Amino acid sequence: MALLVHFLACAFGLGSWVAINGLWVELPLIVNELPEGWDLPSYLTVIIQLANLGPLLVTLMHKLCPGRLKETVVIYTILTIGILACFLLAFFWKETTVMAGALHSTAFLVMTFFLSLVDCTSSVTFLPFMMQLPPKYITTYFIGEGLSGFVPGLVALGQGVGIARCVNITRGPNDTSPVRAVAASESLYTMQTEYLPPNFSTEVFFFFLAAMMAISLVAFVLLGRVPRTFELSTENLVSDTVSSVSSGLDNPVAANQKAHARKSEEAGQSRPLLGKPGYSVSQLAFIYFLVIWVNGLTNGVLPSVQTYSCMPYGNIAYHLSAALASMANPLACVIAMFLPKRSLRFLGMLSLLGTGFGAYNMAMAALSPCPLLQASAAGEALIVLSWVFFTGTLSYVKVMVGVMLRDQSHSALVWCGAAVQVGSMVGALSMFPLVNVYHLFQSGDICNTKCPL
């Protein structure tokens, strides 16, 4: 029975961010089909920030109507919405409408908002529910949450990506149909980029995401039906104050520490007696600066220009960058679990290193469509590795500063969450006009863009 509960907790955590992570790793195929093209990631970063309306509403309900909003009802609702949104995406993701005089992928953007709403809301509902279980199952839940980024990346690697080739086509004198490649001249012959199909279609990938959300929902239902006579008896539960979203948001850290104290021997875990580190004002200011800076880069600034930094090197480079970077995030979390390093100097240097990788990615995006080492294997390898190390190093920093602030106090952790949202929102909103209004980044075509040697 214990093994079953571990499996269900892991499967439940898998549904926390699997949908949005899945969209990011599928972008290398999607950007070639939708009218937003290379600008699509910048739209996604803004939509994800707008979806924080979900956690805000849950928090307001918890404050205004304490005890009335149960996390079970919210979880049933958001997981059902997630399944339906993924299912509908498989059928309508290519549908477009004219808005503000331009063609937009309305269905895809709307469904993305609902998926973002589901995943953002899961952050304030899944964990309060899991706190009703003994602490060892919460650890398993976090493993599942990490897999929500790893599994879609792994499936995307198996999916492969359409290899591009240049095809010489003939255009009639009255042919005004849109051609993806830019014509090199007004002659009747022009080069067009043709993408070979991947191992399985985008529609199949969206069905896979719907199946992952369904697995999470089934796991949640079964977790609620685990016999209370086993390890879910009242003596193993944390206090009733975490039985709702409102109380779970009040002081989850204190409740988790209390439960951990009761079950540490049984779980076979030992936690260093760190107490409250008692950081000075300047140290706390530096920590919060790291939170804002790192999340601004990873959640807003760099994702908005990933297409511009990777696509000039080809679809394969973009595909590997998106998939491997998505897998680097949970890997960094595992490393932080076994090799924690709390030195502020070390975390500052690691943040500087990650920022360096991000600066390289940004520089290649600014040089698009003719970045450095464009037509070479070395250039492709560098851009892929730069994105992987950028994501991995800054993910480690995010985990460690979160752990440090958790041990400081509950209020410090609350302010950490606020700093995460501030950094992410500032990063996304600052990049959107640069990409979509002022067009500071230029797209290109591998068959028609002439770059100097």
Side-chain angles (χ1 to χ4, degrees):
M1 181 64 73
L3 183 62
L4 174 62
V5 177
H6 276 296
F7 175 78
L8 293 178
C10 183
F12 178 52
L14 185 65
S16 57
W17 284 94
V18 70
I20 293 302
N21 289 328
L23 287 181
W24 279 112
V25 299
E26 193 68 5
L27 279 182
L29 294 178
I30 296 175
V31 294
N32 296 320
E33 301 289 341
L34 298 183
E36 289 81 8
W38 292 19
D39 294 342
L40 188 61
S42 63
Y43 283 90
L44 262 62
T45 56
V46 174
I47 288 174
I48 293 173
Q49 297 308 312
L50 293 177
N52 282 300
L53 177 66
L56 178 62
L57 290 177
V58 170
T59 304
L60 289 177
M61 284 293 295
H62 135 64
K63 292 296 183 182
L64 300 177
C65 306
R68 292 189 179 182
L69 188 62
K70 303 296 182 181
E71 77 272 6
T72 54
V73 177
V74 179
I75 293 173
Y76 273 121
T77 302
I78 63 175
L79 286 178
T80 302
I81 292 175
I83 295 171
L84 291 176
C86 290
F87 191 78
L88 292 175
L89 264 179
F91 293 99
F92 302 109
W93 70 276
K94 288 185 178 181
E95 298 297 321
T96 59
T97 58
V98 177
M99 297 180 62
L103 200 62
H104 288 283
S105 50
T106 311
F108 178 82
L109 297 178
V110 170
M111 295 303 170
T112 298
F113 172 77
F114 281 106
L115 289 179
S116 303
L117 193 67
V118 169
D119 289 0
C120 291
T121 308
S122 71
S123 300
V124 295
T125 54
F126 282 21
L127 189 57
F129 171 79
M130 285 301 302
M131 287 176 64
Q132 300 180 49
L133 278 68
K136 60 181 179 181
Y137 298 120
I138 298 178
T139 302
T140 310
Y141 164 80
F142 281 120
I143 294 175
E145 191 175 82
L147 290 176
S148 69
F150 183 84
V151 173
L154 197 62
V155 173
L157 290 177
Q159 182 185 21
V161 67
I163 301 176
R165 65 180 181 181
C166 300
V167 180
N168 195 0
I169 64 171
T170 303
R171 300 182 65 185
N174 297 322
D175 185 5
T176 59
S177 60
V179 179
R180 187 171 302 280
V182 178
S185 66
E186 294 299 326
S187 65
L188 297 181
Y189 299 95
T190 185
M191 298 299 293
Q192 178 177 352
T193 305
E194 181 180 278
Y195 295 96
L196 301 181
N199 295 330
F200 55 87
S201 67
T202 300
E203 289 81 3
V204 173
F205 188 83
F206 287 145
F207 282 128
F208 158 76
L209 294 182
M212 292 297 97
M213 297 295 292
I215 290 174
S216 181
L217 177 59
V218 172
F220 170 67
V221 173
L222 294 179
L223 279 174
R225 296 178 180 272
V226 171
R228 289 297 196 252
T229 55
F230 185 58
E231 293 209 47
L232 302 186
S233 61
T234 54
E235 62 182 6
N236 287 324
L237 289 175
V238 298
S239 63
D240 291 338
T241 57
V242 296
S243 61
S244 66
V245 171
S246 59
S247 54
L249 291 172
D250 280 339
N251 199 348
V253 178
N256 189 24
Q257 291 175 342
K258 187 182 296 184
H260 184 75
R262 292 197 303 263
K263 296 295 295 179
S264 58
E265 183 177 354
E266 179 182 343
Q269 300 174 347
S270 61
R271 182 177 179 179
L273 298 177
L274 298 172
K276 295 184 179 180
Y279 297 109
S280 65
V281 175
S282 59
Q283 289 176 323
L284 283 175
F286 178 70
I287 292 174
Y288 284 117
F289 169 76
L290 287 183
V291 174
I292 295 175
W293 178 258
V294 168
N295 283 277
L297 292 180
T298 57
N299 299 339
V301 176
L302 269 302
S304 300
V305 296
Q306 187 172 13
T307 43
Y308 293 95
S309 69
C310 297
M311 280 293 281
Y313 295 99
N315 263 44
I316 294 179
Y318 185 17
H319 181 72
L320 291 176
S321 297
L324 295 180
S326 178
M327 298 166 69
N329 192 321
L331 179 60
C333 296
V334 173
I335 294 175
M337 181 184 302
F338 292 100
L339 297 173
K341 187 72 172 178
R342 296 169 180 256
S343 169
L344 292 181
R345 179 175 298 180
F346 172 78
L347 294 179
M349 294 299 295
L350 198 61
S351 300
L352 188 61
L353 178 63
T355 302
F357 289 118
Y360 178 82
N361 299 336
M362 180 64 73
M364 296 307 100
L367 292 174
S368 175
C370 299
L372 300 178
L373 303 173
Q374 181 185 22
S376 68
E380 296 180 20
L382 279 176
I383 196 64
V384 172
L385 291 175
S386 181
W387 271 99
V388 171
F389 286 125
F390 164 76
T391 304
T393 53
L394 296 189
S395 295
Y396 181 93
V397 174
K398 286 193 289 186
V399 172
M400 289 312 304
V401 295
V403 171
M404 294 162 65
L405 291 174
R406 179 195 64 191
D407 292 334
Q408 176 73 9
S409 67
H410 175 60
S411 61
L413 196 60
V414 172
W415 282 108
C416 177
V420 168
Q421 296 306 321
V422 169
S424 303
M425 184 173 298
V426 170
L429 295 182
S430 62
M431 290 303 297
F432 187 82
L434 299 181
V435 174
N436 299 281
V437 178
Y438 298 105
H439 303 288
L440 297 184
F441 302 91
Q442 301 298 320
S443 61
D445 185 87
I446 60 175
C447 295
N448 295 282
T449 300
K450 304 300 181 181
C451 295
L453 297 176

